[in-house]
Amino acid sequence: MTSLNSADMDWLAALLQDVGTAEIMPRFRNLGEGDVQQKTSAADLVTEADVNAERVITGALLERFPDSLVIGEEAVADDPKLLDGWSRTDRLAFVIDPIDGTFNFASGVAAFGVMLSVVKDGETIAGIIHDPVGKDWIMAEKGGGAILRRLDGGESGLKVAEPVGAVNRMIGSASWQYMPEPERSTIARNQGLCLGSVAYRCAAQEYRLLCGGHIHFALYNKLMPWDHLAGTLIAAEAGGHVRRFDGSEYRPEHLDGGVLAATDPDSWNMIRETLWRA
């Protein structure tokens, strides 16, 4: 199989829901001793829910799409070489973040999500973000617009907010934690020039806010494909403007250069100029 159809998208959405119900929510606020481990720092965690959710999703994907490639966050943590040249395949490649917002999940905070994107020939062609708590999805196929799908099957279109014309009227998310100095302190200081800020420690929920028209931008320095491919595609399909910090297109192979998603090109330029101002 070299592409997706609507039945495949429905199946993928149902898979994420099933995994949320069976593997994630039973462990939410119910993690035992030894169920949470540090990866690179006290802010970078993995839980039994992450591991089991990724295992089940991976197995189901390979059963339905036996010729596909699956790139999971936890699998890559165990074997970083899985990222070598992965996006250049002409096979379908599924990219999984079994729980985005693991720090929140492990802390008992209901701000996390399951993220899945589909890549073919170096291009993101579909993205789904599932909220296991709210039991709904935001999702998009390239060129097909973005939707919010509710548990009852109802759907509504997603659209980014109307431009407001000035940074001091914008609300946004700027994840400066992984930036080097002095850029880190510059961004953190200049974010105070905005009308407001959000910091969910969860790209899944921050992209949801952007795609639903509730904030005006989301900025990230650390570019792992499972964190951003689904969200940036949905944001673009919701009418947003997504570019790396240097203004170039963000693509699946990019692991650096940052990404800024905004409501429109003019707002993108205003944010880029203001937040980096010395």
Side-chain angles (χ1 to χ4, degrees):
M1 176 176 289
T2 58
S3 61
L4 296 176
N5 56 41
S6 59
D8 293 325
M9 289 294 290
D10 292 343
W11 182 88
L12 291 170
L15 171 62
L16 300 191
Q17 179 191 355
D18 290 346
V19 169
T21 299
E23 302 294 341
I24 296 174
M25 292 309 296
R27 293 178 170 92
F28 182 50
R29 297 178 178 166
N30 194 35
L31 293 168
E33 185 177 351
D35 288 346
V36 182
Q37 305 291 329
Q38 287 189 21
K39 290 197 286 188
T40 61
S41 72
D44 185 15
L45 306 178
V46 61
T47 73
E48 286 298 301
D50 295 83
V51 173
N52 283 287
E54 183 170 305
R55 174 182 53 80
V56 173
I57 294 170
T58 299
L61 288 170
L62 291 175
E63 182 175 351
R64 184 176 175 95
F65 306 99
D67 296 326
S68 67
L69 175 67
V70 179
I71 300 292
E73 178 181 11
E74 307 313 327
V76 172
D78 291 337
D79 182 7
K81 291 182 179 179
L82 291 174
L83 286 181
D84 292 347
W86 73 273
S87 68
R88 294 191 293 271
T89 178
D90 59 0
R91 297 184 291 163
L92 286 180
F94 295 93
V95 183
I96 310 164
D97 192 339
I99 301 180
D100 182 70
T102 298
F103 182 88
N104 294 340
F105 179 83
S107 304
V109 176
F112 52 89
V114 187
M115 305 175 77
L116 181 146
S117 56
V118 188
V119 172
K120 184 177 183 298
D121 295 325
E123 183 176 48
T124 308
I125 63 170
I128 304 175
I129 299 177
H130 175 56
D131 183 341
V133 177
K135 299 185 184 301
D136 61 9
W137 305 257
I138 62 171
M139 52 200 299
E141 293 181 75
K142 187 172 180 63
I147 62 169
L148 167 68
R149 176 179 292 180
R150 293 175 289 277
L151 187 60
D152 64 5
E155 294 182 355
S156 55
L158 291 172
K159 189 176 187 305
V160 296
E162 291 296 323
V164 292
V167 170
N168 64 6
R169 298 178 60 196
M170 296 182 192
I171 301 170
S173 169
S175 180
W176 40 258
Q177 291 91 333
Y178 296 102
M179 289 182 167
E181 293 290 4
E183 192 175 28
R184 172 188 171 108
S185 294
T186 299
I187 299 294
R189 180 188 71 244
N190 287 338
Q191 193 178 8
L193 299 172
C194 299
L195 175 63
S197 64
V198 297
Y200 281 17
R201 295 186 61 89
C202 175
Q205 295 295 342
E206 289 158 358
Y207 279 121
R208 181 188 178 103
L209 289 176
L210 177 67
C211 298
H214 305 293
I215 63 175
H216 301 95
F217 68 89
L219 180 158
Y220 303 95
N221 186 62
K222 185 179 179 183
L223 293 189
M224 302 312 293
W226 44 82
D227 287 328
H228 301 296
L229 294 182
T232 52
L233 175 67
I234 299 168
E237 291 295 326
H241 184 72
V242 179
R243 292 290 186 274
R244 290 202 292 170
F245 294 163
D246 64 2
S248 63
E249 182 183 3
Y250 169 52
R251 298 184 59 81
E253 68 267 20
H254 292 146
L255 299 178
D256 56 21
V259 68
L260 171 59
T263 55
D264 64 291
D266 287 344
S267 296
W268 191 99
N269 287 324
M270 283 187 278
I271 297 159
R272 180 65 176 87
E273 178 183 353
T274 301
L275 293 189
W276 272 263
R277 188 175 297 158

